Amino acid sequence: MKSFLENLHDTFIVDDRWKYLTNGLKTTLLITFFAVIIGMILGFIIAIIRASHDKTGKFKILNLFAKLYLTVIRGTPVMVQLLIIYYVIFASVNIDKVFVGILAFGLNSAAYVAEIVRSGIMSIDNGQFEAGTSLGMNYSKTMVYIIIPQAFKNVLPALANECIVLLKETSVAGYIALEDLTKGGDIIRSLTYEAFLPLIAVALIYLIMVVALSSLVSRLERRLAKSDRG
Amino acid sequence: MIEVKDLKKSFGELEILKGINTTINKGEKVVVIGPSGSGKSTFLRCLNRLEQPTSGKIIFEGNDITDMSDKQLCAIREKMGMVFQHFHLFPHLTIKKNLTLAPVKLGLKSKEEADKKAMDMLKKVGLADKADAYPNQLSGGQKQRIAIARALCMDPDVMLFDEPTSALDPEMVGEVLNLMKQLADEGMTMVVVTHEMGFAREVASRVMFVDGGYIMEENSPEEFFSNPQNPRLKEFLSRVL
């Protein structure tokens, strides 16, 4: 019977197998980071189109596309979307898998970000719009300088949570043979025939990241609440 | 200055304004009173097209604003200050930024000019010390005075007041009315929807009674209060005075 430390040594240290975890973590963070950026930018654009349509009746066609997009993305599993983007859309192109991952998770996240931001815009009292327009500001100026800053502040915690969810969702990236953190742990498992240590290690790394991010979010929430009290 | 011709406004099936005709001249202080639901606020909100009139014409300084592009309308609104019942200050901006946002972003004033104007206006409303505070740190009366200052920073030709004291605690009504009185004395053209009969009597050059979607009676405040003609107005006055 091997001791725990020997086990640890055999699983991670021999052949530098720990590198599967660190390299995987790098990939996971890389995908998450850029997917968040794509998600935020695209999500904001969709939210503004949808909210503007709801408020002014403009952008009929764009709104239709946006609605279709949200329905498809939110109505299908992210894993299926990932597989389709890799094996169908980019089937005949030799393309970097990390890029595919970023694209898939970014496009997926955008749909959720869009609905979060839209609800934030719609939650701002219509009086703010009226105050802006009564000062002679047009719709887009009112939106940019008055509505969006307030909406953004209101939904900041929800957006931060979406980032946390995204971080965990990237764990299905292994299905297109992307060596992310989860896949890295799984590779160690297949090499050592030892499942317990690598998978628990992977889980712990996710947990630490999520707990750290969550505590950042709740600190953010407290600070925002403070400025509300004036 | 503002000419209103056969103004009608419906919300779905409900006809709120059934034909308003009036002219507001430069320097006039018109106070609009009437029971709730009479359409007096809707009338005021049609004047700067916050509500789109169903039919009729509103001519402001020679331009018909009822069929105007959004762009032209923005230019018109710069000249029509509006003060709301619930203030609608921008909570994410400091008081000073509240006052300078529109003049600067619309390119009417440089930042320095707007800052100077804002400080002048804050002094005028007696709140210069609040320049760097946020709206949530102020009392209702202070908020409304800031809202008036914000509208004044646009150098408007006319000020529209939509029940400016209705959301205030009683002890704060006075400070806002005093400020409005001061504005009136300086010659600002004003249209005020209010329930403050004392203000109407003291400040108005003309009082207008709106009920059932029409202007039922308009007259100088002396005649209006001491010698009302319309039976609905008589009844209304007997209830509120």
Side-chain angles (χ1 to χ4, degrees):
Chain A
M1 192 70 198
K2 283 198 280 188
S3 79
F4 178 71
L5 279 179
E6 277 169 0
N7 241 336
L8 217 53
H9 177 267
D10 291 350
T11 313
F12 296 118
I13 309 298
V14 174
D15 294 340
D16 281 349
R17 280 195 280 265
W18 54 272
K19 279 190 174 163
Y20 288 110
L21 292 185
T22 52
N23 288 337
L25 178 61
K26 262 185 234 158
T27 308
T28 292
L29 290 176
L30 191 72
I31 292 175
T32 307
F33 181 76
F34 286 104
V36 163
I37 290 176
I38 292 180
M40 290 291 164
I41 294 172
L42 190 60
F44 260 84
I45 293 171
I46 296 173
I48 289 168
I49 290 171
R50 299 262 293 128
S52 298
H53 175 265
D54 289 357
K55 280 190 182 288
T56 67
K58 289 176 187 162
F59 304 128
K60 271 210 173 67
I61 309 277
L62 279 175
N63 181 57
L64 214 66
F65 276 113
K67 259 169 112 168
L68 184 71
Y69 181 78
L70 297 186
T71 309
V72 171
I73 295 289
R74 298 197 304 162
T76 54
V78 62
M79 205 177 98
V80 177
Q81 293 161 17
L82 179 71
L83 292 175
I84 288 175
I85 288 178
Y86 186 60
Y87 289 112
V88 179
I89 296 175
F90 291 120
S92 53
V93 212
N94 188 10
I95 197 164
D96 187 357
K97 283 180 205 150
V98 175
F99 175 77
V100 173
I102 289 170
L103 196 65
F105 292 111
L107 293 179
N108 179 268
S109 181
Y112 294 93
V113 169
E115 285 304 89
I116 292 170
V117 174
R118 187 174 77 100
S119 75
I121 291 173
M122 299 313 273
S123 74
I124 303 296
D125 179 14
N126 203 40
Q128 293 288 316
F129 259 105
E130 293 188 343
T133 48
S134 78
L135 287 167
M137 307 214 318
N138 61 21
Y139 180 82
S140 52
K141 282 205 173 79
T142 307
M143 203 64 172
V144 170
Y145 296 116
I146 297 170
I147 306 301
I148 304 269
Q150 294 183 60
F152 183 66
K153 190 182 143 186
N154 288 354
V155 300
L156 205 50
L159 286 178
N161 276 321
E162 168 59 24
C163 296
I164 293 174
V165 170
L166 187 61
L167 173 70
K168 288 184 289 181
E169 271 184 348
T170 58
S171 63
V172 299
Y175 275 85
I176 58 168
L178 238 176
E179 293 186 10
D180 73 324
L181 177 58
T182 307
K183 186 72 178 179
D186 201 43
I187 291 173
I188 299 177
R189 180 192 60 80
S190 63
L191 290 175
T192 58
Y193 303 106
E194 157 72 54
F196 180 80
L197 280 176
L199 296 184
I200 293 296
V202 165
L204 270 176
I205 295 171
Y206 278 114
L207 188 66
I208 290 166
M209 289 194 293
V210 169
V211 168
L213 283 172
S214 299
S215 78
L216 275 178
V217 173
S218 59
R219 260 171 57 187
L220 192 72
E221 275 176 330
R222 274 203 301 277
R223 264 188 53 189
L224 290 178
K226 215 187 254 168
S227 73
D228 273 343
R229 282 197 298 270
Chain B
M1 176 180 265
I2 306 177
E3 209 176 323
V4 181
K5 287 182 184 163
D6 202 28
L7 172 67
K8 291 181 183 167
K9 172 69 185 171
S10 305
F11 291 102
E13 292 286 287
L14 189 64
E15 195 174 28
I16 299 286
L17 301 178
K18 295 174 181 166
I20 300 269
N21 288 287
T22 191
T23 303
I24 295 156
N25 294 312
K26 193 167 165 42
E28 262 198 304
K29 296 102 188 56
V30 176
V31 172
V32 184
I33 64 170
S36 50
S38 61
K40 55 191 190 306
S41 278
T42 307
F43 163 60
L44 191 76
R45 289 161 58 83
C46 281
L47 291 182
N48 68 349
R49 233 178 84 182
L50 277 186
E51 302 291 354
Q52 177 68 42
T54 310
S55 70
K57 282 192 187 314
I58 297 167
I59 295 158
F60 176 71
E61 293 176 342
N63 304 301
D64 185 359
I65 68 162
T66 46
D67 63 338
M68 203 174 239
S69 71
D70 287 352
K71 204 176 162 192
Q72 290 170 302
L73 187 63
C74 285
I76 292 288
R77 281 173 174 157
E78 289 172 13
K79 293 281 137 207
M80 302 174 106
M82 179 128 190
V83 175
F84 300 88
Q85 181 177 355
H86 294 287
F87 332 125
H88 299 326
L89 297 180
F90 307 132
H92 62 300
L93 300 174
T94 62
I95 298 304
K96 198 174 176 186
K97 278 269 162 81
N98 263 272
L99 270 59
T100 57
L101 179 73
V104 171
K105 297 301 177 196
L106 292 170
L108 303 174
K109 291 191 173 77
S110 71
K111 199 179 170 301
E112 292 71 33
E113 286 169 341
D115 277 352
K116 189 177 172 302
K117 176 86 180 173
M119 288 316 294
D120 287 350
M121 288 304 119
L122 285 177
K123 274 186 204 121
K124 186 190 182 86
V125 303
L127 291 168
D129 57 325
K130 301 290 185 191
D132 297 316
Y134 282 86
N136 288 345
Q137 297 167 312
L138 304 185
S139 72
Q142 291 173 331
K143 280 183 200 170
Q144 196 60 299
R145 282 150 66 198
I146 295 296
I148 293 171
R150 180 175 68 180
L152 289 175
C153 277
M154 298 294 293
D155 301 314
D157 293 343
V158 56
M159 288 279 284
L160 311 175
F161 293 86
D162 187 5
E163 304 200 26
T165 57
S166 298
L168 297 178
D169 291 338
E171 76 263 30
M172 292 170 183
V173 170
E175 60 186 81
V176 172
L177 290 182
N178 283 336
L179 174 60
M180 290 166 65
K181 213 174 290 172
Q182 187 192 333
L183 275 184
D185 291 341
E186 289 165 10
M188 177 63 76
T189 311
M190 293 163 69
V191 184
V192 185
V193 171
T194 188
H195 295 289
E196 297 292 332
M197 297 302 151
F199 178 81
R201 202 190 292 254
E202 204 179 327
V203 178
S205 54
R206 174 155 51 115
V207 187
M208 199 181 267
F209 177 65
V210 174
D211 191 20
Y214 297 102
I215 298 175
M216 291 298 197
E217 185 159 342
E218 49 183 331
N219 217 329
S220 67
E222 299 81 31
E223 280 292 302
F224 186 92
F225 287 107
S226 59
N227 191 17
Q229 302 297 317
N230 185 288
R232 298 259 278 281
L233 174 57
K234 283 181 190 168
E235 194 198 328
F236 180 73
L237 288 178
S238 73
R239 269 188 283 125
V240 296
L241 288 182

